[in-house]
């Protein structure tokens, strides 16, 4: 069984900050792009990530919108079990 599917990755699988890194050996790592600018985020988060304050779902089809946290407008949002933390 493979354990590299979206269920094994969690929120990072659909987060716009996720950077997939493949080593020459063929191993795949998931690097958090937010870690570059915010030290509170681990560069290589422990998977699966089930809750993350920095989660920002990728927009599907629409252009990059510098997504406003808490804003609706994710028509293709996957039915992930965890919801992103919203700030009022
Ligand atoms: S911000 Fe959170 S959900 Fe997004 S890639 Fe980083 S650790 Fe994963």
């Amino acid at each position: 069984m493979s354990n590299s599917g979206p269920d094994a990755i969690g929120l990072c699988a659909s987060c716009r900050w996720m950077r997939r890194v493949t080593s020459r050996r063929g191993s795949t790592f998931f690097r958090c792009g937010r870690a570059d600018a915010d030290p509170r985020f681990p560069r290589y988060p422990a998977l699966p990530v089930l809750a993350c304050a920095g989660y920002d779902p990728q927009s599907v089809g629409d252009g990059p919108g510098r997504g406003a946290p808490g804003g609706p407008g994710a028509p293709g949002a996957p039915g992930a079990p965890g919801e992103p933390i919203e700030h009022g």
Side-chain angles (χ1 to χ4, degrees):
M1 295 281 186
S2 171
N3 65 347
S4 60
D7 287 348
I9 300 164
L11 292 177
C12 295
S14 58
C15 180
R16 65 186 293 252
W17 294 100
M18 187 274 286
R19 310 277 188 200
R20 184 183 299 230
V21 179
T22 303
S23 73
R24 287 196 293 180
R25 289 182 177 180
S27 300
T28 300
F29 302 90
F30 295 93
R31 188 168 76 84
C32 174
R34 281 210 156 174
D36 293 341
D38 191 333
R40 293 180 307 164
F41 296 96
R43 182 166 292 176
Y44 293 97
L47 304 179
V49 172
L50 301 179
C52 179
Y55 176 65
D56 193 358
Q58 297 179 21
S59 48
V60 180
D62 245 11
R66 206 67 182 171
E83 291 287 329
I85 297 173
E86 296 182 0
H87 300 281

